[in-house]
Amino acid sequence: MFKKLLFLSAISISAIVFSQNLKEKLGSYLDSLNAHHKLMGSFAIAEKGNSTFQKVVGFSDVEKKQKANINTQYRIGSISKTFTAVLIMKAVEDKKLFLENKLSDFYPEIPNASKITVENLLQHRTGIHNLTNEQEYWTYFNKPQTESSLINIIKKYSSDFEPGLKHEYSNSNYILLGLILEKVYRKTYAELIKDKIARPLKLTLTEVGGKIAPAKNQAFSYNYSDGKYDLSSETDMSVPIGAGDIISTPAELLKFILGLENGKLIKKENLEKMRSFVDDYGYGLIRFPFDKSIGYGHGGRIDSFRSALFYFPDLKVAASYVVNQSAIDTNEVFDIMLGVTAGKDFEIPSFKTIQISENELQKFVGTYSSPDIPVKINIFIQDKKLMAQATGQGAFPLEATSGTSFKFDTAGIGIEFFPSKNQFVISQGGTQNTFTKE
């Protein structure tokens, strides 16, 4: 028995050491991504309620060479919707609101308001048009907005479908929920975040954001191209109220989702309602599979910030990141983070690329189409670089990995050309499609 216990102890110690080594490797991987200008941001993992990994790479302010740290605040984008949904459930508990309340009780001027419930808004099942889908959005996104101006914008678009008919993501839904919360509590959304979420969980770095202030350890966001970081435009945080206006850190986001799971914010039965997924969306929560487990949480994007926060109840694992620059598919990074908690090893990419002459690139140039996909892809050369542009979308650069292979890491795209056949095969997200030159 004694020998058996020693043997089991040795196995346990070996597993702990392997886990620690994997987390060190994860840190090295993130350092490598940063060194190759693929990523800047902050990352955190919690297991069984305890923090087991934190890492920060890159700058919060490139111009001033100000490095980010674990207390740097980032814009978290649509993870804010989970906060809003929690506040709505808190309002239900406080009898300030009912899920059956109609939108017409608050904003009768919105199309179909008498048919839309608060629950419809939470689940994105309203048919209310997404204001961020319109080109007009980019004329006012960086200007202060009022309740009146936001309602005037939302109400002028006709409904996309009948309320309750289907799920279709719309930022307009959560802007309306943010404004409804202010009405029923007669407090600002910022005050509600502070009083009903930040204070109970002792979060000191989670709040509604304003103009980015690097002097307060808040991060700008960037795009990296042509050997330099370009500062991204900055959304005025009055625009995405309730939908994307919160700033935080991955470590505090983990405290938030663990507090939600442990009943520190709302009753357990109301969390269960939030997790009543229809079309993989609940109340401000996305259903997220990993291996054989199902987690819940949300992703986010605003300006050039990208973020994710998910918790897996059966694994007792929570993971979060917020990046302020990415030239790689951050979903792949998140998959590696989750894999590390499950003891899965991974390879650190070398990021080696090769240079191909403009004359050699010419053989790939042309317009390509596929019978399986209703878009054409134009391949062209710009500033001696091979570029690709799908119908109705922006152009993106292709980085050579061999004489005929190219990649665009930001979207996880790989393209393999077959010049003799006038074709290429494009890979993304595990799917492949063949395009032929016209």
Side-chain angles (χ1 to χ4, degrees):
M1 175 63 76
F2 184 63
K3 287 183 178 180
K4 186 177 181 180
L5 287 173
L6 283 176
F7 179 66
L8 291 173
S9 178
I11 291 176
S12 299
I13 291 170
S14 176
I16 291 169
V17 170
F18 180 66
S19 177
Q20 289 173 339
N21 289 342
L22 269 184
K23 288 185 174 70
E24 288 177 9
K25 186 175 181 179
L26 176 59
S28 298
Y29 167 60
L30 296 171
D31 282 332
S32 178
L33 291 178
N34 179 241
H36 289 87
H37 309 293
K38 301 295 184 183
L39 200 67
M40 296 196 300
S42 186
F43 310 80
I45 295 170
E47 297 169 271
K48 296 180 180 178
N50 298 311
S51 174
T52 58
F53 180 84
Q54 285 192 62
K55 182 73 176 180
V56 185
V57 294
F59 297 101
S60 56
D61 186 339
V62 168
E63 184 181 5
K64 294 181 179 178
K65 302 298 180 187
Q66 181 175 309
K67 287 194 171 184
N69 56 57
I70 59 171
N71 292 322
T72 299
Q73 293 174 298
Y74 299 81
R75 294 185 168 192
I76 66 171
S78 288
I79 297 176
S80 303
K81 291 180 173 67
T82 305
F83 284 75
T84 298
V86 170
L87 289 178
I88 290 290
M89 299 312 291
K90 189 65 180 170
V92 170
E93 291 180 4
D94 291 343
K95 296 189 171 23
K96 298 281 187 180
L97 197 60
F98 298 95
L99 294 176
E100 299 76 23
N101 277 138
K102 294 290 198 294
L103 178 57
S104 54
D105 295 338
F106 308 99
Y107 298 108
E109 61 269 50
I110 303 294
N112 277 337
S114 62
K115 301 178 183 178
I116 294 169
T117 65
V118 168
E119 184 177 47
N120 291 150
L121 290 165
L122 287 166
Q123 295 177 315
H124 292 295
R125 303 183 75 84
T126 64
I128 296 173
H129 190 69
N130 187 359
L131 81 178
T132 61
N133 284 352
E134 293 299 314
Q135 193 61 35
E136 177 197 28
Y137 174 78
W138 302 106
T139 66
Y140 64 80
F141 80 101
N142 56 356
K143 299 179 178 67
Q145 300 297 317
T146 63
E147 175 193 17
S148 176
S149 65
L150 288 170
I151 294 301
N152 284 337
I153 291 168
I154 293 170
K155 76 178 185 181
K156 71 181 179 182
Y157 300 121
S158 58
S159 293
D160 292 337
F161 54 87
E162 278 295 300
L165 185 64
K166 63 179 181 177
H167 165 87
E168 192 167 294
Y169 193 90
S170 173
N171 285 297
S172 302
N173 292 324
Y174 274 76
I175 290 172
L176 289 167
L177 287 171
L179 295 173
I180 287 170
L181 283 165
E182 292 193 329
K183 278 185 178 292
V184 299
Y185 276 109
R186 296 184 181 179
K187 289 185 176 182
T188 66
Y189 181 83
E191 288 173 323
L192 294 172
I193 290 293
K194 184 182 295 183
D195 293 345
K196 299 190 178 296
I197 294 179
R199 190 170 291 131
L201 297 179
K202 298 180 180 176
L203 305 179
T204 60
L205 300 170
T206 301
E207 60 189 328
V208 168
K211 186 171 179 57
I212 295 172
K216 295 180 180 179
N217 200 11
Q218 296 173 1
F220 288 120
S221 68
Y222 299 88
N223 291 303
Y224 185 84
S225 62
D226 297 324
K228 63 185 178 67
Y229 291 98
D230 296 318
L231 183 66
S232 290
S233 53
E234 188 176 323
T235 300
D236 190 282
M237 294 297 248
S238 63
V239 178
I241 176 175
D245 59 341
I246 293 175
I247 60 175
S248 187
T249 70
E252 288 215 342
L253 289 175
L254 295 186
K255 290 180 181 178
F256 163 68
I257 205 161
L258 290 171
L260 178 60
E261 171 70 15
N262 294 324
K264 294 181 179 179
L265 294 174
I266 58 174
K267 295 174 181 176
K268 287 290 186 77
E269 56 264 35
N270 283 326
L271 173 58
E272 287 308 308
K273 288 181 181 178
M274 289 181 66
R275 293 190 300 205
S276 300
F277 297 108
V278 182
D279 298 324
D280 290 333
Y281 202 91
Y283 299 175
L285 291 174
I286 294 170
R287 181 181 182 274
F288 190 89
F290 170 68
D291 284 349
K292 296 179 181 179
S293 298
I294 299 297
Y296 67 88
H298 217 290
R301 58 190 302 164
I302 186 170
D303 307 329
S304 290
F305 296 93
R306 303 290 181 268
S307 58
L309 169 66
F310 287 92
Y311 179 70
F312 298 83
D314 61 329
L315 303 176
K316 291 185 168 48
V317 166
S320 177
Y321 70 79
V322 190
V323 301
N324 60 325
Q325 177 266 327
S326 57
I328 192 171
D329 185 356
T330 52
N331 291 322
E332 291 183 15
V333 179
F334 196 60
D335 284 344
I336 288 174
M337 289 176 67
L338 293 176
V340 164
T341 68
K344 293 184 178 181
D345 202 354
F346 62 96
E347 293 297 320
I348 297 178
S350 64
F351 299 112
K352 289 181 180 177
T353 58
I354 63 173
Q355 296 299 317
I356 300 178
S357 69
E358 189 171 352
N359 186 51
E360 281 292 303
L361 292 176
Q362 285 291 343
K363 63 187 178 186
F364 306 127
V365 170
T367 299
Y368 296 73
S369 61
S370 169
D372 302 318
I373 298 181
V375 296
K376 295 183 179 182
I377 298 179
N378 183 30
I379 304 293
F380 61 98
I381 297 171
Q382 181 177 297
D383 298 329
K384 300 182 179 180
K385 292 181 180 178
L386 197 65
M387 305 287 290
Q389 185 171 22
T391 306
Q393 299 180 27
F396 55 90
L398 295 174
E399 209 171 10
T401 55
S402 77
T404 56
S405 301
F406 296 78
K407 65 178 182 176
F408 178 53
D409 279 335
T410 304
I413 291 173
I415 292 180
E416 177 74 27
F417 286 94
F418 299 91
S420 62
K421 298 180 179 179
N422 285 324
Q423 290 181 332
F424 69 72
V425 175
I426 184 168
S427 306
Q428 186 180 28
T431 62
Q432 292 187 334
N433 294 96
T434 300
F435 281 72
T436 303
K437 188 184 294 188
E438 295 183 342

